[in-house]
């Protein structure tokens, strides 16, 4: 790699849920980090999150990008592979409570860092050396925008950003990876990476108590990374209702240019060869969201 990173740190908790549906994957090489938040309940969400995490990692390890030049085209192929594995592992494609997951990933290629996300798990890129006590946002290089109903309402000016956390429909997401359904592809981004940058990937449970400002303030403090991750954990531990998972990556040396993702061309989606009734799964995401809104209280 053209950058050096410290060993990524992480924390994970179950919150007040009866089961853990978050999953994460950290490459031994440091090339990539993945965080997924499963959905669907009753064990299906954890299967989805585990399947996508493992499938993406398997693709990255067995079919790495040529000369470690990462691109959206390459990542699309990895996502289609993960969808294929997801389709194979679905317990009951006709069930209302089908399995799905969000997906966040940062892949450090020799040409840049590619940020990919689907759903309401989030990725931050923080540059503490640019932090200002008068405006913490000077340290914020990148924050992914959730694929959710409340984010759409914020974008449309119908609700204020500060009202999104308490909105009754905050659990409805508009994009995720689900089995035997239309294949939502990730949204991509990329910024320049310099020495001292941090990447923070997390499920939405973390965001119940950690704001962008808190994240910038903690990462700016003159303490060790282990102390920083422990401070962030304290904001969630015994306070968060949802599952919560976070991974912190610290770039200690080097520089990467941003990758141009503006001309992304999504590869044709493979034909769905499932023998199941596709009409029943066409609106799977909406059904899952409706189920979550009705029965799951975050």
């Amino acid at each position: 790699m053209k950058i050096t990173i410290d060993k990524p740190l992480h924390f994970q908790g179950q919150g007040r849920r009866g089961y853990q549906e978050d999953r994460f994957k950290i490459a031994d090489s440091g090339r990539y980090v993945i965080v997924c938040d499963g959905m669907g309940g009753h064990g299906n969400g954890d299967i989805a999150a585990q399947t996508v995490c493992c499938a993406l990692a398997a693709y990255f390890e067995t079919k790495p990008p040529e000369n470690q030049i990462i691109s959206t085209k390459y990542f699309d192929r990895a996502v289609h592979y993960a969808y294929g594995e997801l389709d194979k592992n679905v317990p009951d494609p006709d069930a209302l409570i089908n399995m799905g997951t969000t997906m966040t990933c940062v892949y450090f290629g020799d040409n840049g860092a590619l940020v990919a996300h689907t759903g309401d798990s989030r990725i931050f890129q923080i540059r503490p050396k640019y932090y200002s006590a008068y405006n913490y946002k000077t340290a914020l290089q990148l924050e992914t925008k959730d694929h959710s109903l409340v984010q759409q309402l914020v974008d449309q000016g119908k609700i204020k950003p500060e009202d999104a956390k308490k909105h009754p429909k905050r659990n409805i997401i508009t994009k995720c990876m689900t089995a035997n359904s239309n294949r939502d592809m990730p949204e991509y981004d990329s910024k320049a990476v310099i020495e001292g940058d941090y990447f923070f990937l997390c499920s939405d449970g973390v965001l119940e108590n950690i704001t962008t400002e808190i994240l910038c303030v903690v990462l700016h403090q003159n303490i060790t990374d282990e102390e920083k991750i422990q401070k962030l954990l304290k904001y969630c531990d015994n306070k968060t209702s949802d599952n919560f998972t976070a991974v912190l990556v610290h770039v200690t040396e080097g520089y990467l240019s941003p990758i141009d993702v503006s001309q992304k061309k999504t590869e044709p989606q493979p034909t769905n060869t499932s023998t199941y009734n596709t009409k029943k799964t066409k609106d799977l995401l909406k059904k899952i969201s409706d189920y979550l809104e009705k029965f799951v209280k975050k």
Side-chain angles (χ1 to χ4, degrees), residues 8-269:
L9 303 173
H10 71 274
F11 62 75
Q12 185 174 67
Q14 194 164 309
R16 292 191 288 274
R17 291 291 184 87
Y19 45 85
Q20 175 61 264
E21 292 191 309
D22 289 357
R23 295 292 187 272
F24 67 95
K25 201 83 171 176
I26 300 171
D28 293 337
S29 63
R31 283 283 181 187
Y32 58 86
V33 178
I34 307 165
V35 172
C36 294
D37 179 0
M39 52 187 287
H42 304 295
N44 288 340
D46 64 331
I47 296 173
Q50 181 74 9
T51 299
V52 170
C53 266
C54 291
L56 288 176
Y59 192 91
F60 295 154
E61 295 294 339
T62 60
K63 299 179 180 180
E66 187 175 357
N67 298 320
Q68 284 299 338
I69 303 301
I70 186 68
S71 67
T72 57
K73 184 177 180 180
Y74 168 84
F75 205 99
D76 277 351
R77 291 197 294 269
V79 170
H80 281 307
Y81 174 77
Y83 268 115
E85 294 303 297
L86 200 56
D87 291 347
K88 293 177 185 177
N89 290 334
V90 64
D92 182 2
D94 291 324
L96 172 62
I97 310 170
N98 217 325
M99 64 183 194
T101 182
T102 68
M103 185 279 295
T104 59
C105 179
V106 179
Y107 193 109
F108 296 101
D110 285 354
N111 59 320
L114 185 64
V115 169
H117 85 287
T118 304
D120 63 353
S121 296
R122 206 173 296 177
I123 303 172
F124 299 83
Q125 182 181 349
I126 308 295
R127 187 164 294 163
K129 64 177 66 178
Y130 286 1
Y131 175 81
S132 167
Y134 301 102
N135 183 7
Y136 70 89
K137 290 184 178 179
T138 56
L140 181 64
Q141 301 302 299
L142 182 150
E143 179 179 358
T144 56
K145 184 179 288 189
D146 296 348
H147 300 124
S148 66
L149 177 60
V150 291
Q151 184 60 57
Q152 288 183 352
L153 295 175
V154 170
D155 292 342
Q156 294 166 3
K158 294 181 178 179
I159 64 171
K160 297 178 180 179
E162 56 267 28
D163 296 331
K165 284 187 178 182
K166 302 298 182 181
H167 196 278
K169 295 185 178 181
R170 64 188 179 277
N171 296 324
I172 299 179
I173 63 176
T174 57
K175 196 174 182 181
C176 73
M177 295 183 67
T178 53
N180 290 316
S181 64
N182 292 333
R183 295 184 170 185
D184 283 333
M185 300 306 290
E187 184 174 343
Y188 295 107
D189 208 337
S190 181
K191 304 293 182 184
V193 179
I194 67 173
E195 178 182 325
D197 282 3
Y198 284 92
F199 286 86
F200 186 75
L201 295 79
C202 65
S203 60
D204 67 327
V206 172
L207 303 172
E208 287 186 23
N209 295 290
I210 293 180
T211 64
T212 306
E213 182 175 7
I214 288 172
L215 185 59
C216 290
V217 169
V218 171
L219 295 182
H220 174 257
Q221 294 176 355
N222 188 25
I223 55 178
T224 67
D225 286 349
E226 287 78 7
E227 290 172 316
K228 291 177 182 180
I229 199 76
Q230 287 303 315
K231 273 200 168 189
L232 293 171
L233 172 59
K234 287 180 181 179
Y235 281 97
C236 301
D237 212 13
N238 298 317
K239 300 181 183 72
T240 300
S241 61
D242 199 0
N243 298 157
F244 57 91
T245 300
V247 179
L248 182 66
V249 182
H250 187 190
V251 179
T252 55
E253 292 181 357
Y255 170 82
L256 291 174
S257 300
I259 299 170
D260 183 8
V261 299
S262 61
Q263 301 299 319
K264 187 183 84 70
K265 294 182 180 179
T266 303
E267 293 196 334
Q269 297 185 15

